[in-house]
Amino acid sequence: MGGLLDGGVAGGVGIAFTLTLLAGLATGLGGLTAFMADRANARFLAISLGFSAGVMLYVSFVEILPKAHEFLAAEGGERAGAWAMVGGFFGGIAVIAVIDRLVPAHSNPHEFTHEPQDIPRGPLGPARPLQPSEPVRSARDSALLRMGLLTAVAIAIHNFPEGFATFMTALADPELAIPVTVAIALHNVPEGIAVAVPVYQATGSKMKALGLAFVSGLAEPVGAVLGFAVLRPWLTDTLFGVVFAAVAGIMVFISLDKLLPTSEKYGGHHLSVYGLVAGMAVMAVSLVMLI
Protein backbone atom coordinates (compact mmCIF):
# COMPACT_ATOMS: atom_id res chain seq x y z
CA MET A 1 0.00 0.00 0.00
CA GLY A 2 1.05 3.60 -0.53
CA GLY A 3 2.58 6.02 1.95
CA LEU A 4 -0.80 7.41 2.92
CA LEU A 5 -1.65 4.14 4.62
CA ASP A 6 1.74 3.44 6.23
CA GLY A 7 0.45 4.62 9.62
CA GLY A 8 -2.32 2.01 9.48
CA VAL A 9 -5.94 2.36 8.51
CA ALA A 10 -7.56 0.98 11.63
CA GLY A 11 -6.62 3.93 13.85
CA GLY A 12 -8.51 6.38 11.65
CA VAL A 13 -11.59 4.30 10.96
CA GLY A 14 -13.28 5.33 14.21
CA ILE A 15 -12.77 9.03 13.54
CA ALA A 16 -13.87 8.66 9.92
CA PHE A 17 -17.01 6.77 10.90
CA THR A 18 -17.85 9.30 13.64
CA LEU A 19 -17.57 12.26 11.25
CA THR A 20 -19.68 10.45 8.65
CA LEU A 21 -22.30 9.60 11.26
CA LEU A 22 -22.47 13.23 12.43
CA ALA A 23 -22.94 14.44 8.86
CA GLY A 24 -25.74 11.93 8.33
CA LEU A 25 -27.48 12.77 11.59
CA ALA A 26 -27.83 16.36 10.40
CA THR A 27 -30.96 15.21 8.57
CA GLY A 28 -32.39 14.51 12.02
CA LEU A 29 -31.43 18.03 13.05
CA GLY A 30 -33.35 19.27 10.03
CA GLY A 31 -36.32 17.19 11.15
CA LEU A 32 -36.09 18.76 14.59
CA THR A 33 -36.04 22.30 13.20
CA ALA A 34 -39.23 21.49 11.28
CA PHE A 35 -41.15 21.75 14.57
CA MET A 36 -39.65 25.05 15.71
CA ALA A 37 -41.32 28.41 15.34
CA ASP A 38 -40.37 30.29 12.16
CA ARG A 39 -38.50 27.15 11.11
CA ALA A 40 -38.85 27.85 7.40
CA ASN A 41 -37.76 31.47 7.21
CA ALA A 42 -37.08 31.75 3.48
CA ARG A 43 -34.30 34.36 3.80
CA PHE A 44 -32.43 32.35 6.41
CA LEU A 45 -32.83 29.18 4.34
CA ALA A 46 -31.54 30.93 1.23
CA ILE A 47 -28.45 32.32 2.96
CA SER A 48 -27.74 28.98 4.67
CA LEU A 49 -27.93 27.03 1.42
CA GLY A 50 -25.75 29.59 -0.35
CA PHE A 51 -23.28 29.41 2.54
CA SER A 52 -23.12 25.63 2.28
CA ALA A 53 -22.53 25.86 -1.48
CA GLY A 54 -19.71 28.35 -0.90
CA VAL A 55 -18.04 26.01 1.58
CA MET A 56 -18.37 23.04 -0.77
CA LEU A 57 -17.12 24.83 -3.87
CA TYR A 58 -14.16 26.48 -2.16
CA VAL A 59 -12.93 23.38 -0.36
CA SER A 60 -13.43 21.26 -3.51
CA PHE A 61 -11.32 23.44 -5.81
CA VAL A 62 -8.77 24.81 -3.32
CA GLU A 63 -8.14 21.79 -1.10
CA ILE A 64 -9.61 18.50 -2.30
CA LEU A 65 -8.62 18.56 -5.99
CA PRO A 66 -5.00 19.63 -5.29
CA LYS A 67 -4.80 16.91 -2.64
CA ALA A 68 -6.11 14.37 -5.15
CA HIS A 69 -3.47 15.42 -7.69
CA GLU A 70 -0.77 15.19 -5.05
CA PHE A 71 -1.66 11.57 -4.24
CA LEU A 72 -2.05 10.55 -7.89
CA ALA A 73 1.11 12.28 -9.11
CA ALA A 74 3.17 10.61 -6.37
CA GLU A 75 2.61 7.21 -7.98
CA GLY A 76 1.82 7.98 -11.63
CA GLY A 77 3.69 11.20 -12.37
CA GLU A 78 2.46 14.75 -12.91
CA ARG A 79 0.74 14.26 -16.27
CA ALA A 80 -0.85 10.89 -15.54
CA GLY A 81 -1.86 12.13 -12.10
CA ALA A 82 -3.54 15.17 -13.61
CA TRP A 83 -5.53 13.00 -16.05
CA ALA A 84 -6.55 10.64 -13.27
CA MET A 85 -7.67 13.62 -11.18
CA VAL A 86 -9.80 14.92 -14.06
CA GLY A 87 -11.29 11.47 -14.61
CA GLY A 88 -12.10 11.06 -10.92
CA PHE A 89 -13.66 14.54 -10.74
CA PHE A 90 -16.03 14.05 -13.65
CA GLY A 91 -16.61 10.44 -12.63
CA GLY A 92 -17.94 11.68 -9.29
CA ILE A 93 -20.21 14.12 -11.11
CA ALA A 94 -21.43 11.32 -13.37
CA VAL A 95 -22.26 9.03 -10.42
CA ILE A 96 -24.37 11.59 -8.56
CA ALA A 97 -25.98 12.79 -11.83
CA VAL A 98 -27.03 9.24 -12.76
CA ILE A 99 -28.50 8.73 -9.29
CA ASP A 100 -30.42 11.98 -9.78
CA ARG A 101 -31.84 10.74 -13.06
CA LEU A 102 -32.94 7.42 -11.56
CA VAL A 103 -34.95 9.05 -8.75
CA PRO A 104 -38.42 10.32 -9.75
CA ALA A 105 -38.51 14.12 -9.89
CA HIS A 106 -41.45 14.46 -7.49
CA SER A 107 -39.49 12.70 -4.72
CA ASN A 108 -36.00 13.84 -5.67
CA PRO A 109 -34.44 16.30 -3.20
CA HIS A 110 -32.43 17.74 -6.10
CA GLU A 111 -35.55 18.73 -8.00
CA PHE A 112 -37.78 21.67 -7.11
CA THR A 113 -41.47 20.99 -7.32
CA HIS A 114 -42.64 23.51 -4.72
CA GLU A 115 -42.87 27.26 -4.86
CA PRO A 116 -41.41 29.49 -2.12
CA GLN A 117 -44.89 30.29 -0.86
CA ASP A 118 -45.43 26.56 -0.27
CA ILE A 119 -43.00 26.52 2.65
CA PRO A 120 -45.03 26.36 5.84
CA ARG A 121 -44.49 29.33 8.10
CA GLY A 122 -45.11 29.41 11.79
CA PRO A 123 -46.51 26.40 13.70
CA LEU A 124 -47.60 23.45 11.59
CA GLY A 125 -51.38 23.66 11.51
CA PRO A 126 -53.71 21.55 13.62
CA ALA A 127 -52.06 18.15 12.96
CA ARG A 128 -52.77 15.64 15.72
CA PRO A 129 -52.15 11.94 16.32
CA LEU A 130 -54.73 9.63 14.82
CA GLN A 131 -56.88 7.76 17.30
CA PRO A 132 -57.46 3.98 17.11
CA SER A 133 -61.05 4.68 16.11
CA GLU A 134 -59.85 6.62 13.04
CA PRO A 135 -58.78 3.89 10.59
CA VAL A 136 -59.04 5.98 7.43
CA ARG A 137 -56.79 8.91 6.56
CA SER A 138 -57.88 11.68 4.27
CA ALA A 139 -56.58 11.65 0.71
CA ARG A 140 -54.48 14.71 1.53
CA ASP A 141 -52.85 13.02 4.51
CA SER A 142 -52.11 9.90 2.51
CA ALA A 143 -50.52 11.95 -0.26
CA LEU A 144 -48.42 13.88 2.25
CA LEU A 145 -47.27 10.69 3.95
CA ARG A 146 -46.36 9.13 0.62
CA MET A 147 -44.41 12.25 -0.33
CA GLY A 148 -42.49 12.14 2.94
CA LEU A 149 -41.67 8.44 2.54
CA LEU A 150 -40.56 8.85 -1.07
CA THR A 151 -38.43 11.85 -0.12
CA ALA A 152 -36.80 9.83 2.66
CA VAL A 153 -35.97 7.03 0.21
CA ALA A 154 -34.59 9.50 -2.34
CA ILE A 155 -32.43 11.19 0.28
CA ALA A 156 -31.16 7.83 1.52
CA ILE A 157 -30.11 6.92 -2.03
CA HIS A 158 -28.28 10.22 -2.44
CA ASN A 159 -26.61 9.85 0.96
CA PHE A 160 -24.90 6.57 0.09
CA PRO A 161 -22.19 8.12 -2.13
CA GLU A 162 -21.99 11.20 0.11
CA GLY A 163 -21.35 8.99 3.14
CA PHE A 164 -18.62 7.05 1.37
CA ALA A 165 -17.03 10.29 0.17
CA THR A 166 -17.02 11.78 3.67
CA PHE A 167 -15.64 8.57 5.18
CA MET A 168 -12.80 8.22 2.69
CA THR A 169 -11.86 11.88 3.05
CA ALA A 170 -11.71 11.50 6.84
CA LEU A 171 -9.70 8.31 6.54
CA ALA A 172 -7.12 9.99 4.33
CA ASP A 173 -6.98 13.45 5.95
CA PRO A 174 -8.95 14.04 9.20
CA GLU A 175 -8.25 17.79 9.16
CA LEU A 176 -9.63 18.20 5.65
CA ALA A 177 -12.60 16.01 6.59
CA ILE A 178 -13.82 18.52 9.17
CA PRO A 179 -14.89 21.22 6.66
CA VAL A 180 -16.20 18.51 4.32
CA THR A 181 -18.31 17.09 7.17
CA VAL A 182 -19.63 20.55 8.06
CA ALA A 183 -20.56 21.23 4.43
CA ILE A 184 -22.33 17.89 4.00
CA ALA A 185 -24.12 18.36 7.33
CA LEU A 186 -25.38 21.82 6.32
CA HIS A 187 -26.54 20.29 3.05
CA ASN A 188 -28.43 17.57 4.95
CA VAL A 189 -30.39 19.87 7.29
CA PRO A 190 -32.95 21.08 4.72
CA GLU A 191 -33.30 17.49 3.48
CA GLY A 192 -34.38 16.48 6.99
CA ILE A 193 -36.97 19.24 6.90
CA ALA A 194 -38.21 17.94 3.54
CA VAL A 195 -38.81 14.53 5.10
CA ALA A 196 -40.23 15.58 8.47
CA VAL A 197 -42.74 18.25 7.46
CA PRO A 198 -45.03 16.15 5.22
CA VAL A 199 -44.86 13.13 7.56
CA TYR A 200 -45.77 15.28 10.57
CA GLN A 201 -48.58 16.95 8.67
CA ALA A 202 -49.97 13.58 7.62
CA THR A 203 -49.67 11.68 10.91
CA GLY A 204 -49.46 14.35 13.61
CA SER A 205 -46.59 12.33 15.13
CA LYS A 206 -43.36 14.18 15.81
CA MET A 207 -41.63 10.92 16.68
CA LYS A 208 -42.49 9.34 13.32
CA ALA A 209 -41.35 12.44 11.45
CA LEU A 210 -38.11 12.73 13.41
CA GLY A 211 -37.45 9.01 13.19
CA LEU A 212 -37.82 8.94 9.42
CA ALA A 213 -35.56 11.99 9.06
CA PHE A 214 -32.88 10.31 11.18
CA VAL A 215 -33.18 7.00 9.33
CA SER A 216 -32.75 8.67 5.93
CA GLY A 217 -29.54 10.26 7.21
CA LEU A 218 -28.18 6.93 8.47
CA ALA A 219 -27.67 5.92 4.85
CA GLU A 220 -24.45 7.95 5.00
CA PRO A 221 -22.62 5.82 7.59
CA VAL A 222 -24.12 2.69 6.01
CA GLY A 223 -22.72 3.73 2.62
CA ALA A 224 -19.38 4.44 4.26
CA VAL A 225 -19.17 1.02 5.90
CA LEU A 226 -20.26 -0.87 2.77
CA GLY A 227 -17.87 1.06 0.54
CA PHE A 228 -14.98 0.59 2.95
CA ALA A 229 -15.69 -3.14 3.32
CA VAL A 230 -15.67 -3.63 -0.46
CA LEU A 231 -12.64 -1.46 -1.28
CA ARG A 232 -10.44 -2.10 1.77
CA PRO A 233 -8.19 -4.67 0.01
CA TRP A 234 -7.33 -2.04 -2.63
CA LEU A 235 -6.75 0.99 -0.39
CA THR A 236 -3.72 2.73 -1.88
CA ASP A 237 -2.64 6.31 -2.42
CA THR A 238 -3.91 6.05 -6.00
CA LEU A 239 -7.37 4.95 -4.88
CA PHE A 240 -7.51 7.71 -2.29
CA GLY A 241 -6.51 10.23 -4.95
CA VAL A 242 -9.29 9.08 -7.29
CA VAL A 243 -11.80 9.11 -4.43
CA PHE A 244 -10.72 12.62 -3.41
CA ALA A 245 -11.28 13.83 -6.98
CA ALA A 246 -14.69 12.12 -7.06
CA VAL A 247 -15.58 13.74 -3.71
CA ALA A 248 -14.83 17.14 -5.22
CA GLY A 249 -17.01 16.31 -8.24
CA ILE A 250 -19.91 15.17 -6.05
CA MET A 251 -19.74 18.31 -3.90
CA VAL A 252 -19.54 20.64 -6.90
CA PHE A 253 -22.53 18.93 -8.53
CA ILE A 254 -24.58 19.17 -5.33
CA SER A 255 -23.71 22.86 -5.01
CA LEU A 256 -24.57 23.75 -8.60
CA ASP A 257 -27.53 21.43 -9.08
CA LYS A 258 -29.29 21.80 -5.74
CA LEU A 259 -27.96 24.29 -3.23
CA LEU A 260 -27.50 27.41 -5.35
CA PRO A 261 -30.72 27.04 -7.42
CA THR A 262 -32.74 26.38 -4.27
CA SER A 263 -31.11 29.27 -2.45
CA GLU A 264 -31.88 31.66 -5.29
CA LYS A 265 -35.45 30.39 -5.59
CA TYR A 266 -36.25 31.05 -1.94
CA GLY A 267 -34.20 34.17 -1.29
CA GLY A 268 -33.44 35.79 -4.59
CA HIS A 269 -30.16 36.22 -6.43
CA HIS A 270 -28.43 38.58 -4.02
CA LEU A 271 -29.04 36.60 -0.84
CA SER A 272 -27.82 33.48 -2.61
CA VAL A 273 -24.59 35.18 -3.66
CA TYR A 274 -24.07 36.74 -0.22
CA GLY A 275 -24.36 33.32 1.37
CA LEU A 276 -22.04 31.83 -1.24
CA VAL A 277 -19.33 34.45 -0.67
CA ALA A 278 -19.70 34.18 3.11
CA GLY A 279 -19.25 30.41 2.91
CA MET A 280 -16.13 30.79 0.79
CA ALA A 281 -14.72 33.42 3.14
CA VAL A 282 -15.28 31.34 6.26
CA MET A 283 -13.79 28.29 4.57
CA ALA A 284 -10.77 30.27 3.35
CA VAL A 285 -10.06 31.76 6.78
CA SER A 286 -10.46 28.42 8.53
CA LEU A 287 -8.04 26.72 6.10
CA VAL A 288 -5.45 29.45 6.53
CA MET A 289 -5.72 29.12 10.30
CA LEU A 290 -4.88 25.42 9.99
CA ILE A 291 -1.55 26.16 8.29
Side-chain angles (χ1 to χ4, degrees):
M1 291 186 180
L4 177 63
L5 304 176
D6 290 344
V9 173
V13 170
I15 294 175
F17 181 79
T18 299
L19 290 175
T20 306
L21 179 62
L22 290 174
L25 290 178
T27 57
L29 180 62
L32 184 63
T33 62
F35 311 122
M36 295 180 179
D38 200 27
R39 65 195 171 282
N41 183 287
R43 291 171 59 88
F44 177 78
L45 180 62
I47 293 175
S48 298
L49 293 175
F51 183 92
S52 181
V55 169
M56 285 189 172
L57 291 173
Y58 191 91
V59 76
S60 294
F61 288 120
V62 176
E63 281 287 310
I64 299 180
L65 277 179
K67 182 83 68 176
H69 183 251
E70 177 186 330
F71 292 149
L72 293 167
E75 293 193 0
E78 288 291 327
R79 186 176 181 83
W83 278 112
M85 177 194 69
V86 171
F89 177 78
F90 287 102
I93 291 177
V95 167
I96 197 69
V98 167
I99 291 175
D100 255 6
R101 296 296 298 176
L102 294 177
V103 177
H106 67 275
S107 60
N108 190 337
H110 288 193
E111 301 292 342
F112 318 113
T113 58
H114 302 287
E115 296 301 319
Q117 62 266 25
D118 293 335
I119 300 181
R121 304 173 191 278
L124 280 175
R128 60 183 176 81
L130 291 173
Q131 302 300 318
S133 58
E134 297 175 301
V136 180
R137 286 193 183 95
S138 68
R140 173 183 174 276
D141 286 348
S142 296
L144 282 171
L145 181 59
R146 182 175 182 275
M147 183 178 71
L149 293 173
L150 288 173
T151 301
V153 171
I155 288 172
I157 293 172
H158 282 86
N159 283 350
F160 262 86
E162 290 176 15
F164 178 66
T166 306
F167 182 86
M168 294 296 283
T169 302
L171 195 60
D173 190 336
E175 285 190 358
L176 180 58
I178 293 175
V180 171
T181 301
V182 171
I184 293 292
L186 288 173
H187 156 69
N188 285 344
V189 169
E191 292 186 348
I193 295 174
V195 173
V197 168
V199 173
Y200 179 46
Q201 285 277 29
T203 66
S205 171
K206 291 184 179 181
M207 293 304 298
K208 288 181 180 179
L210 277 174
L212 197 58
F214 273 113
V215 168
S216 66
L218 291 179
E220 293 210 356
V222 170
V225 170
L226 291 179
F228 179 67
V230 172
L231 295 177
R232 184 170 185 175
W234 299 280
L235 289 179
T236 63
D237 285 1
T238 298
L239 178 60
F240 272 105
V242 172
V243 169
F244 261 47
V247 169
I250 290 171
M251 293 177 66
V252 168
F253 185 88
I254 289 172
S255 299
L256 299 180
D257 181 63
K258 177 185 179 181
L259 298 180
L260 285 177
T262 308
S263 174
E264 186 165 13
K265 185 164 188 174
Y266 287 106
H269 176 74
H270 291 297
L271 285 180
S272 178
V273 172
Y274 297 157
L276 174 72
V277 173
M280 288 184 171
V282 170
M283 191 73 265
V285 170
S286 64
L287 290 174
V288 170
M289 293 177 66
L290 292 175
I291 297 177

